[in-house]
Amino acid sequence: MNTNSSIKINGLDTAFSVDLEKDILVDWSSSDFSQKSYNLKMICGDEVVFKQENRCSSRKRTFVSIPSVFRSSVRKKYVLQLDITCEHEEQYDLESAFYSENLNLKHAEWITRLDNPIEKEYEYFQEKANIVLEKEFVVTSDFKKSFIDICGLGYYSLFINEARVHDTYLTSDVTNYDKIVYYDTIDISNYVHTGKNKVRVELGNGWYNPAPILILSRYNIRKQLAIGKPCLLAQISLTMSDGSTEMINTDNTWASSFGQYLSNNVYIGEHFTDAVSNESAITTKVYGPSGKLTPSSIPKVKRKQEIHPKMIESAKSHIIMDLEEIISGQVAFDIQKEFIGEITLYYAEDMGSNHELNFSTSISGLYGLSDKKNNIRSEDPVIQKDKITKTKPEQLHFENTYTYHSFRYIKVEFKPANQVNSNHDHSGILEKIVSYRVHTDLQKISAFSSSNTELNALWDASTDTRLNNIHSYFEDCARERFGYGGDIVALLDTQMLTLDTESLLKKVFLDFAADQTMQGGITQTAPYVGIMTHGPSNGSGSIGWQLVFPSLADAICNKYKDTGFIDKNRVYLEKHLDYLLGFDYDYIKHCCLGDWGSVDTTIQNGKIYTPDQTFCSACMYLLILKRYKKLFASLGESGSRYDLLLHRIESVKTRIMDEFYNEKGYFATGSQSSFTFGIQAGLLDREIQSLVEGNLLKKLEQDAWIFKFGIFGMSWAFETLSQLGEEHRVYQWLTRSEMPSYRAMLSRGNKVLSEYFPTQASNPMHSSASYNHAMFSSYSSWIIRNLIGINTSEHNDQVIIQPYFPNELDSVYGAINTLYGKVSHEWKKQGERKYKLNVSLPLGMKYSIKQHSAHNIISQETEATKQNRLITIVYEVLG
């Protein structure tokens, strides 16, 4: 039997805590055979608890529902057996296993170290060692398996018998802890042994105990997030050889002590010391967050790549290092034993002309309060920094654990305790310096390369920038670190086509559901941090940012085919739709930020105005209603609510056309954004469609084909222009070198995208914009669908091959994993106007070959191996 580790349960390679009350997703789409049918069997002990027999399907995923009679409060092992029949009748036997959720975790108690229970905000920056909780336990006989269910808030590190048992960082999952508390389940069988054992958990502040700093100079997120003292809930379970189970729960018998981090904060950094306090401490039970304990089902945050910085300056008091790219990550190094004193590291995305670090692009806000003891003033900007205090003549290892930085440059300042040595060269004090790219471990499901190295760099920049800003939820940038719904919508298509995001999308959907307002509104960010710019009611976000809720639901329902998940959460969607239908058009048409990030954005009297903002906002209201129409039609919705929705859509469309359409064929003032919003909102009736689309092209030509769209318009424009047969204009924009352009973004050498397109004219809004911002990275989906030429159909379950051949490119290779397996192809220029394309796709997958209006298919050949269909096509470019 072939045991296939590529089988995923609920999106995870190893699933140790599966909720059996919900449908279980079984996915083996990464396997490399072509499937005709399968038999699936689920076994627990000696009993078969589920069967799917003779299922004729080439789709390599299914949902399993285990009958209640086979469920138990005790964790049990379930073995999954798949018998696969391929197109040529070859047989594959796959096997995997998972464990059910442990429902006895409720017997554990939340615990923490008894520090000052009434600490004031101004005391946050006064140094105190992080919390360490530990427990000794004895295993008296042989055991078969051992797990720990654990939630450490804000972040935790777990050690069993002094060994770190997980390779994850920034662990636990961030959410609204008053609604949901995610816990992890880890197999610790290889770390526990017969006899005396010790479990130790270190806690960091994370998002559960954030600093009272003013993000964006005005938002104290402590006022909005579910917060508390760092605390721990855990249960160790041992399955003994006789079948019995022994539990070790967190309670006040656990010992407390002090760690080596004197301070730690996600925005600022860490202060680490080698002087461990031996002060006695007391462990106390506390009320933890009130959210429902839920097993985590998303990939964890990991260190994914090592980058060794390059020394660019060495002086007596400091050194400066350059990573030669911007990352969101952590650092680690050893400090020579001879050095005694303080080392401070400053992190920045940019270097000023005077060879001093420029912090403006990564400053998250102001401290907002004063602390004379730590020399902090309320108006001081929050600069990313770490500090190490070394007191012993021993080698010391430092690494970030409970924070991450957005940086390219590191300035390290040395302050020896002995001033006699202050003039010595300190460049050799740090050894084995390494930085790590740190993000949620999402699997890449698509690939692209071409004969154009700059286009390849643009592809990599899109992927790297987005991953830089994913840490258990989708963030806008590494400076703010907020989960804005608008950014998620603008990038959703690209995220799904390039990364395995299904489980994360479901988690983020629940994040927004958890923060839904009492009236039914969806917040601007999830978790909610207090931002509600242009929101229609208290606590809710602007309409374009609320579009995230039905968009995520539609993706889960129609792309990933998990209608069961949406049905279970339908009440939140219905409440949101009722909320949206409760507003009058004349009011809600103003409640959006329009096409955020447009080059045409202006600042008037200190306020930001996007082009044709009222019109675009009105279109957003229509778009969100239409998204609900599509979603509920997929779910078979009918009745008075659906009828009201259909009526409102027609009435809003009429109102928008009456107010904003000009009979010459444009909307509002005729900005680029207005065209894409009008087209995307479906305002174009047949009699005006060609007129408006033609005026869009005239407008772009008038603007020298500089795309001035914001984050929504940019994403939609790629699709719209391709539908109009103007792929060459998109390619021209992506490869443009003059400002504003993507290449101008990358010309800094940072290898990631920035918040705004650099322009020749100075713009005060851009002066301190983030250099590590993902909002304009939506072009990857265009590359897949057009340059690679692979289109997957949402409803027809087939792949469409339709490439576009730019004159400037000689070759392209691309691939994407689908629900049926991997589809790949490569095309090469064979001569003047002639291209040869080789496609490989699973045998059982439907496909169609389409030619671009400017292409002619000269020949087509098809052959089949045992696993794949191979298609060779020769194209000629016309005229």
Side-chain angles (χ1 to χ4, degrees):
M1 180 173 291
N2 175 24
T3 301
N4 194 319
S5 60
S6 63
I7 297 178
K8 292 186 176 183
I9 305 296
N10 289 343
L12 299 176
D13 293 320
T14 53
F16 295 134
S17 193
V18 175
D19 184 350
L20 299 186
E21 293 187 358
K22 300 177 181 178
D23 289 347
I24 302 167
L25 172 60
V26 180
D27 187 328
W28 61 101
S29 58
S30 61
S31 55
D32 59 359
F33 50 77
S34 291
Q35 173 182 301
K36 183 171 71 173
S37 64
Y38 68 86
N39 293 314
L40 183 149
K41 185 186 298 184
M42 198 82 75
I43 301 170
C44 182
D46 297 326
E47 294 185 282
V48 176
V49 300
F50 182 87
K51 278 186 178 182
Q52 279 184 352
E53 295 184 302
N54 300 318
R55 177 66 63 90
C56 293
S57 174
S58 56
R59 181 183 294 178
K60 299 177 181 179
R61 56 183 269 151
T62 188
F63 290 95
V64 171
S65 179
I66 295 181
S68 58
V69 66
F70 295 114
R71 301 172 193 165
S72 170
S73 62
V74 178
R75 178 179 286 113
K76 289 188 176 182
K77 182 179 180 180
Y78 292 78
V79 176
L80 171 70
Q81 295 178 353
L82 272 166
D83 300 328
I84 310 294
T85 301
C86 297
E87 290 290 332
H88 294 285
E89 304 303 322
E90 298 95 339
Q91 299 292 319
Y92 280 82
D93 296 329
L94 311 183
E95 184 173 296
S96 186
F98 66 89
Y99 290 80
S100 62
E101 180 184 7
N102 170 27
L103 299 180
N104 290 307
L105 187 55
K106 59 187 177 182
H107 298 305
E109 297 174 310
W110 287 100
I111 60 172
T112 190
R113 187 180 67 205
L114 181 59
D115 296 331
N116 181 3
I118 54 173
E119 183 181 71
K120 303 298 183 182
E121 273 197 354
Y122 69 84
E123 297 177 271
Y124 182 93
F125 298 107
Q126 296 178 11
E127 294 183 338
K128 51 186 174 295
N130 67 308
I131 296 171
V132 178
L133 299 161
E134 57 188 25
K135 176 76 171 181
E136 290 189 350
F137 62 97
V138 177
V139 178
T140 58
S141 60
D142 292 339
F143 63 94
K144 294 191 295 185
K145 205 72 175 173
S146 180
F147 291 98
I148 185 170
D149 298 291
I150 179 171
C151 179
L153 298 178
Y155 293 139
Y156 73 85
S157 297
L158 169 67
F159 302 83
I160 303 287
N161 295 324
E162 302 306 321
R164 196 175 195 274
V165 303
H166 56 110
D167 61 351
T168 66
Y169 290 84
L170 307 178
T171 319
S172 303
D173 300 347
V174 180
T175 188
N176 181 342
Y177 303 118
D178 278 345
K179 298 294 180 66
I180 308 172
V181 178
Y182 291 106
Y183 67 90
D184 302 313
T185 301
I186 303 172
D187 183 351
I188 57 173
S189 303
N190 292 334
Y191 298 90
V192 177
H193 52 248
T194 304
K196 185 182 291 186
N197 296 267
K198 183 169 74 173
V199 55
R200 176 166 59 91
V201 181
E202 294 185 355
L203 298 178
N205 290 319
W207 291 94
Y208 191 58
N209 189 31
I213 55 181
L214 299 180
I215 307 299
L216 299 174
S217 302
R218 56 188 179 275
Y219 297 104
N220 180 350
I221 59 176
R222 286 186 70 88
K223 304 296 185 184
Q224 304 297 337
L225 297 178
I227 65 170
K229 304 290 184 183
C231 54
L232 171 68
L233 181 92
Q235 181 182 82
I236 295 174
S237 58
L238 297 106
T239 302
M240 311 310 290
S241 298
D242 61 3
S244 63
T245 302
E246 295 184 5
M247 306 285 189
I248 298 99
N249 294 311
T250 45
D251 56 26
N252 59 8
T253 65
W254 284 52
S256 289
S257 60
F258 299 85
Q260 293 181 263
Y261 291 89
L262 300 180
S263 65
N264 66 91
N265 176 262
V266 290
Y267 286 107
I268 305 170
E270 299 166 320
H271 182 182
F272 183 79
T273 181
D274 61 353
V276 180
S277 173
N278 292 321
E279 181 183 353
S280 61
I282 298 173
T283 300
T284 182
K285 294 185 293 184
V286 291
Y287 279 104
S290 57
K292 180 183 178 182
L293 282 172
T294 304
S296 173
S297 60
I298 64 172
K300 313 306 289 184
V301 176
K302 293 186 177 182
R303 293 174 172 174
K304 295 302 298 176
Q305 179 187 5
E306 286 189 10
I307 302 172
H308 296 273
K310 175 184 177 183
M311 187 82 68
I312 61 173
E313 183 176 311
S314 178
K316 292 180 179 179
S317 62
H318 71 271
I319 60 174
I320 297 178
M321 296 177 285
D322 180 6
L323 271 65
E324 300 183 315
E325 64 180 297
I326 289 177
I327 69 168
S328 293
Q330 300 178 332
V331 300
F333 51 79
D334 293 332
I335 306 172
Q336 283 188 343
K337 64 181 182 180
E338 291 82 7
F339 179 83
I340 303 294
E342 291 182 353
I343 298 174
T344 304
L345 294 84
Y346 297 91
Y347 301 87
E349 297 172 346
D350 189 36
M351 176 76 77
S353 57
N354 58 357
H355 225 242
E356 287 294 326
L357 270 58
N358 172 24
F359 300 110
S360 63
T361 70
S362 56
I363 290 174
S364 55
L366 307 176
Y367 276 92
L369 51 78
S370 298
D371 186 337
K372 293 182 180 179
K373 184 177 180 180
N374 288 287
N375 197 29
I376 292 173
R377 298 174 301 173
S378 60
E379 66 272 21
D380 286 344
V382 176
I383 294 172
Q384 304 174 102
K385 61 181 178 181
D386 293 319
K387 182 178 177 181
I388 301 102
T389 300
K390 187 170 180 294
T391 64
K392 302 174 183 177
E394 301 170 359
Q395 188 181 71
L396 179 64
H397 178 75
F398 169 76
E399 61 182 71
N400 289 132
T401 303
Y402 304 116
T403 189
Y404 68 94
H405 300 292
S406 176
F407 64 104
R408 171 176 173 172
Y409 301 97
I410 313 170
K411 182 177 183 179
V412 187
E413 293 184 349
F414 302 94
K415 185 179 179 181
N418 185 351
Q419 293 301 312
V420 174
N421 297 323
S422 61
N423 291 323
H424 291 179
D425 184 357
H426 298 118
S427 60
I429 289 174
L430 305 187
E431 299 176 334
K432 299 179 182 178
I433 306 169
V434 63
S435 59
Y436 301 96
R437 189 186 299 278
V438 177
H439 56 77
T440 295
D441 188 17
L442 296 179
Q443 179 185 349
K444 296 177 184 179
I445 62 169
S446 60
F448 168 79
S449 62
S450 74
S451 56
N452 186 320
T453 56
E454 291 183 321
L455 193 62
N456 299 342
L458 195 61
W459 169 270
D460 292 338
S462 170
T463 304
D464 289 343
T465 311
R466 285 181 286 112
L467 287 173
N468 274 350
N469 294 289
I470 304 176
H471 299 89
S472 86
Y473 62 100
F474 299 100
E475 305 151 46
D476 64 319
C477 67
R479 178 181 60 190
E480 294 179 44
R481 307 182 182 187
F482 294 154
Y484 286 100
D487 296 69
I488 296 171
V489 169
L491 302 181
L492 183 57
D493 188 43
T494 281
Q495 301 283 28
M496 293 190 296
L497 282 174
T498 58
L499 301 170
D500 184 2
T501 58
E502 180 176 2
S503 58
L504 186 59
L505 292 182
K506 291 174 180 176
K507 184 263 182 187
V508 172
F509 175 88
L510 294 176
D511 287 342
F512 280 100
D515 277 330
Q516 187 172 33
T517 68
M518 293 294 292
Q519 294 172 312
I522 299 302
T523 53
Q524 193 98 341
T525 68
Y528 178 60
V529 294
I531 299 174
M532 46 186 173
T533 310
H534 291 200
S537 65
N538 185 38
S540 67
S542 55
I543 292 303
W545 277 246
Q546 294 196 48
L547 180 59
V548 68
F549 204 49
S551 296
L552 289 171
D554 178 58
I556 294 165
C557 181
N558 288 308
K559 177 176 175 59
Y560 297 112
K561 312 299 182 185
D562 196 348
T563 55
F565 178 90
I566 299 303
D567 277 333
K568 285 182 172 62
N569 295 285
R570 192 167 179 154
V571 60
Y572 301 108
L573 294 159
E574 292 174 343
K575 185 177 180 180
H576 186 217
L577 178 57
D578 290 343
Y579 167 82
L580 294 169
L581 294 173
F583 288 99
D584 289 333
Y585 165 79
D586 288 318
Y587 172 80
I588 203 169
K589 72 179 181 182
H590 297 283
C591 299
C592 189
L593 297 167
D595 199 11
W596 184 259
S598 167
V599 173
D600 286 335
T601 297
T602 59
I603 300 178
Q604 303 171 28
N605 298 322
K607 293 184 178 180
I608 297 174
Y609 291 92
T610 56
D612 290 322
Q613 185 164 319
T614 303
F615 167 71
C616 291
S617 297
C619 287
M620 270 299 191
Y621 183 51
L622 181 58
L623 279 164
I624 196 170
L625 295 178
K626 284 191 166 184
R627 191 60 54 87
Y628 267 114
K629 174 186 175 182
K630 178 177 181 289
L631 173 65
F632 283 131
S634 301
L635 296 172
E637 175 75 15
S638 61
S640 58
R641 178 188 287 110
Y642 192 65
D643 292 340
L644 177 59
L645 172 61
L646 298 180
H647 180 267
R648 179 63 61 86
I649 288 172
E650 292 305 313
S651 67
V652 168
K653 179 179 177 181
T654 300
R655 292 290 304 276
I656 293 175
M657 292 296 293
D658 289 345
E659 183 175 359
F660 294 104
Y661 180 67
N662 186 293
E663 63 182 8
K664 293 182 179 180
Y666 62 89
F667 302 98
T669 69
S671 64
Q672 289 188 18
S673 293
S674 69
F675 279 108
T676 56
F677 271 69
I679 293 171
Q680 189 71 17
L683 295 177
L684 304 188
D685 292 330
R686 183 173 299 175
E687 59 268 21
I688 67 169
Q689 181 170 341
S690 59
L691 175 62
V692 172
E693 291 173 345
N695 283 339
L696 166 61
L697 299 182
K698 290 178 182 178
K699 173 62 177 172
L700 287 167
E701 184 175 14
Q702 176 186 332
D703 291 337
W705 295 100
I706 296 172
F707 287 17
K708 298 182 177 182
F709 309 103
I711 59 174
F712 300 106
M714 191 71 73
S715 176
W716 300 334
F718 297 145
E719 176 186 2
T720 297
L721 290 172
S722 295
Q723 291 172 349
L724 295 177
E726 299 288 338
E727 293 96 335
H728 64 294
R729 296 300 186 181
V730 178
Y731 182 81
Q732 174 183 308
W733 166 245
L734 293 180
T735 56
R736 172 185 167 88
S737 58
E738 301 84 1
M739 293 184 183
S741 65
Y742 282 105
R743 283 191 180 179
M745 278 190 187
L746 297 183
S747 65
R748 300 185 181 102
N750 295 330
K751 300 183 181 179
V752 293
L753 303 180
S754 52
E755 188 169 5
Y756 297 109
F757 288 97
T759 58
Q760 298 289 357
S762 60
N763 188 325
M765 191 172 65
H766 300 178
S767 59
S768 60
S770 169
Y771 279 2
N772 190 3
H773 203 300
M775 69 183 188
F776 279 115
S777 60
S778 57
Y779 54 80
S780 290
S781 56
W782 182 87
I783 289 176
I784 292 170
R785 293 195 174 101
N786 293 274
L787 289 187
I788 301 175
I790 297 176
N791 287 269
T792 53
S793 170
E794 182 178 275
H795 298 293
N796 296 326
D797 297 334
Q798 67 173 338
V799 64
I800 300 169
I801 308 298
Q802 188 177 18
Y804 159 67
F805 306 119
N807 289 333
E808 299 85 347
L809 281 184
D810 293 326
S811 64
V812 160
Y813 168 80
I816 183 170
N817 293 337
T818 74
L819 302 183
Y820 300 85
K822 182 178 180 180
V823 178
S824 66
H825 92 239
E826 181 177 29
W827 61 256
K828 291 184 177 181
K829 184 181 288 188
Q830 297 291 298
E832 186 66 24
R833 297 184 178 181
K834 187 176 290 186
Y835 296 84
K836 184 177 182 181
L837 172 64
N838 294 309
V839 181
S840 173
L841 68 160
L843 278 176
M845 190 174 193
K846 301 176 185 176
Y847 75 97
S848 64
I849 307 295
K850 293 187 178 181
Q851 58 188 36
H852 186 271
S853 59
H855 301 160
N856 180 46
I857 295 178
I858 298 176
S859 64
Q860 178 177 333
E861 297 178 5
T862 302
E863 62 176 303
T865 68
K866 290 185 177 181
Q867 302 301 337
N868 298 91
R869 180 180 288 110
L870 305 176
I871 307 166
T872 301
I873 311 161
V874 177
Y875 284 91
E876 179 184 37
V877 178
L878 303 176

